[in-house]
Amino acid sequence: MATKIHKILVTGGLGYIGSHVVVELQNKGFGVVIIDDLSNSSLSVLDRIVGITGIKPVFEKIDLKEKKSVTDFFIRHEDIDGVIHFAASKAVGESVNNPLKYYENNIHSLVYLLQEINKLASQKLIFSSSCTVYGQADELPISEEAQIKEPESPYGNTKKVGEQIIKDTCSANTLLNTIALRYFNPIGAHESATIGELPIGTPQNLVPFVTQTGIGLREKLSIFGNDYPTPDGTCIRDYIHVVDLAKAHTIAMERLIEEKNTENYEVYNIGTGKGSSVLEVVNAFKKVTGVRLNYSFAERRAGDIISAYADTKKANRILGWKSELTLKDALLSAWKWEKKIRS
Ligand code: WQD
């Protein structure tokens, strides 16, 4: 008997992480429907996904802040087996200057989405959360049991509040099964160098700034602070290859589809379990690309925490997922992508 093709809705599926997850879902035989409002992505990503997998996902341009559009979408697609929710604003700095944009977009969208998922026959949700919810953890590596701290930004707060909204909804509606994935620092690009991170304007995150400096788009990299209490004085993060992160989503969705989850709300840290300092990233980039980076030390950046890297035992043991690609693999893929989009 032919196996059923499960239909997965990916909101924000044309974005950086979303597009990589769509590719991995298709690789695993899932049917994919993408909703994206194209506010931070481009329709060309749809063709690039087809270029990689040969399969065209269904796409609908919808703004999840428009409740009626969301309701109408689910009337047309009541056979959805699962939802992976990425669609959100995610620039930490912007969220400090424009908090209401973040609360309206990230919270309203989530509530309208949940109100529709609650009507589906199959209520399975993967939520894109972030290690930002931990703030500066008291203990390293950071486990899922670590205290959820006051977030450093409105963006981080929308992830913390988002998790709480979903948790409360799962308590009230035991038919809703959710896995929240708390990402550490996603970097890199698909090996085809046809999808990757496309920051609009000046990159906020380290690795796109490094690759843009390497290719000559930026005069130099400013390293925000080298007087932190770390071995080389620069901040430490857990940089995870976006393809490893994407695979964690397909594994989590399979866990829900096969009803292997033991709670109807589960949380997993998704990182490599290894911390790398900013200087270590810069040196690894030079090593794998041969490109000398022009950089100087600058003032600390407000809101930065000193060090964060994941305790990945829970995801390894229960989810059956672990990262396989290295920091160097990720930096090389980011560099290939940067060269491709500038060629
Ligand atoms: C990493 C380190 C900077 C740029 C953010 C979000 C988090 C998640 C991942 C979405 C820090 C330093 C950076 C530069 C630098 N996003 N840096 N010069 O802040 O750890 O996490 O992205 O979920 O929610 O907060 O990542 O890449 O911005 O910074 O020295 O030009 O690189 O100070 O120490 P961050 P980042």
Side-chain angles (χ1 to χ4, degrees):
M1 184 177 75
T3 50
K4 170 177 162 46
I5 292 186
H6 291 102
K7 182 173 168 182
I8 306 299
L9 166 62
V10 181
T11 73
L14 295 183
Y16 170 43
I17 300 169
S19 55
H20 284 85
V21 169
V22 168
V23 164
E24 296 309 324
L25 283 170
Q26 291 186 325
N27 288 344
K28 284 261 183 138
F30 285 100
V32 176
V33 180
I34 293 173
I35 283 182
D36 204 301
D37 67 357
L38 301 178
S39 62
N40 189 25
S41 57
S42 125
L43 204 48
S44 66
V45 175
L46 197 57
D47 297 331
R48 294 158 183 254
I49 290 170
V50 178
I52 295 170
T53 63
I55 309 165
K56 184 160 187 145
V58 173
F59 169 72
E60 293 202 23
K61 183 177 182 295
I62 290 179
D63 180 347
L64 287 174
K65 293 194 298 296
E66 290 166 13
K67 181 173 173 57
K68 186 170 178 331
S69 310
V70 181
T71 304
D72 292 349
F73 171 87
F74 277 89
I75 291 169
R76 294 196 301 277
H77 295 275
E78 58 188 10
D79 58 342
I80 280 172
D81 295 298
V83 179
I84 303 183
H85 179 44
F86 293 105
S89 303
K90 59 146 208 159
V92 172
E94 183 194 35
S95 78
V96 175
N97 302 325
N98 191 352
L100 290 180
K101 169 185 173 182
Y102 276 69
Y103 288 117
E104 183 188 35
N105 187 30
N106 295 6
I107 303 300
H108 285 195
S109 303
L110 176 63
V111 169
Y112 296 155
L113 192 64
L114 284 168
Q115 286 172 329
E116 296 310 321
I117 295 173
N118 282 353
K119 300 174 194 168
L120 293 175
S122 167
Q123 302 176 24
K124 301 175 192 314
L125 170 66
I126 307 289
F127 179 61
S128 159
S129 190
S130 168
C131 62
T132 311
V133 301
Y134 297 115
Q136 179 54 67
D138 301 325
E139 266 184 66
L140 292 169
I142 306 173
S143 84
E144 289 82 354
E145 283 65 51
Q147 187 194 353
I148 302 300
K149 295 235 178 121
E150 259 322 288
E152 304 288 337
S153 68
Y155 159 76
N157 201 29
T158 65
K159 289 301 177 186
K160 177 184 172 187
V161 169
E163 283 194 13
Q164 193 56 56
I165 289 171
I166 294 168
K167 215 167 151 184
D168 292 344
T169 308
C170 286
S171 302
N173 166 16
T174 52
L175 292 176
L176 174 61
N177 290 277
T178 298
I179 290 178
L181 298 178
R182 291 177 181 159
Y183 311 158
F184 281 68
N185 287 54
I187 62 168
H190 187 266
E191 59 186 0
S192 63
T194 55
I195 54 174
E197 202 167 0
L198 262 177
I200 296 172
T202 309
Q204 297 304 304
N205 292 135
L206 176 64
V207 170
F209 206 106
V210 162
T211 56
Q212 288 192 13
T213 305
I215 207 149
L217 261 179
R218 307 284 158 194
E219 202 264 323
K220 78 176 159 82
L221 167 73
S222 295
I223 295 182
F224 300 138
N226 68 327
D227 59 350
Y228 284 98
T230 61
D232 64 18
T234 64
C235 293
I236 293 168
R237 296 290 185 273
D238 184 335
Y239 296 97
I240 176 166
H241 196 301
V242 67
V243 172
D244 275 337
L245 174 64
K247 289 177 177 171
H249 289 74
T250 59
I251 290 170
M253 183 50 81
E254 283 169 336
R255 178 176 173 82
L256 294 182
I257 296 268
E258 292 159 18
E259 299 181 351
K260 287 185 176 159
N261 51 305
T262 52
E263 309 285 328
N264 74 325
Y265 179 75
E266 294 185 342
V267 179
Y268 296 91
N269 285 343
I270 302 297
T272 66
K274 185 181 176 311
S276 301
S277 74
V278 177
L279 269 176
E280 284 171 330
V281 170
V282 168
N283 292 330
F285 179 79
K286 279 194 247 178
K287 212 179 178 98
V288 293
T289 63
V291 173
R292 291 196 56 71
L293 268 188
N294 183 15
Y295 70 83
S296 65
F297 294 113
E299 286 305 301
R300 293 184 176 192
R301 180 173 70 174
D304 272 341
I305 55 164
I306 302 165
S307 181
Y309 49 94
D311 175 340
T312 59
K313 282 196 289 296
K314 186 179 176 188
N316 302 156
R317 188 167 38 84
I318 301 179
L319 211 47
W321 167 90
K322 71 188 296 298
S323 63
E324 292 158 356
L325 297 164
T326 65
L327 174 68
K328 288 179 178 167
D329 295 328
L331 291 171
L332 199 52
S333 69
W335 180 234
K336 256 182 79 180
W337 163 249
E338 185 69 58
K339 287 191 291 184
K340 189 81 173 282
I341 52 177
R342 305 300 167 197
S343 59

